[in-house]
Amino acid sequence: MSDPTSTKQGVAAGTSIGAAVIMVTVGIVQLFQGIAAVAENQVFVVGLDYVYKFDLTTWGWIHIGLGVVVAAVGLALFTGAAWARVTAVVVAAISILANFMWLPYYPWWSVLIIALDIVVIWAVTTWDPDRA
């Protein structure tokens, strides 16, 4: 009979490696999204007025910076180091906040990234590399 803890750790370990891949991919896409917002403001359609409204160029630079950080932390997460896991949780939480504020510009993408960030946080906080 399988130990439920080891099964949970196996799933968490696999999902954590997946989380690292997700973070690298999302970071690269956010970098490109930021470049598009900085280079050409007409790429994004602005919907309703929103409390967290910034200039698209400002959002572009935010996404460029966030994309680089998310991708770098995703690469570090492959090591399984404790500092990388803690940093991944913090960066994923910041990404959730940034994408919440980005909702009026790109709603479906923002919701998808928020959901993926939640998966990253679950996987990284559940994973214990010493037990997997």
Side-chain angles (χ1 to χ4, degrees), residues 61-110:
W61 285 110
I62 289 170
H63 279 286
I64 288 171
L66 190 59
V68 168
V69 171
V70 168
V73 172
L75 289 172
L77 191 57
F78 280 112
T79 66
W83 69 267
R85 293 193 325 262
V86 169
T87 306
V89 170
V90 171
V91 169
I94 291 169
S95 178
I96 287 171
L97 293 174
N99 280 286
F100 173 76
M101 293 188 291
W102 179 249
L103 274 169
Y105 301 99
Y106 216 166
W108 290 107
W109 177 254
S110 295

Side-chain angles (χ1 to χ4, degrees), residues 1-11:
M1 186 174 240
S2 171
D3 179 22
T5 304
S6 65
T7 303
K8 183 178 178 182
Q9 283 302 306
V11 170

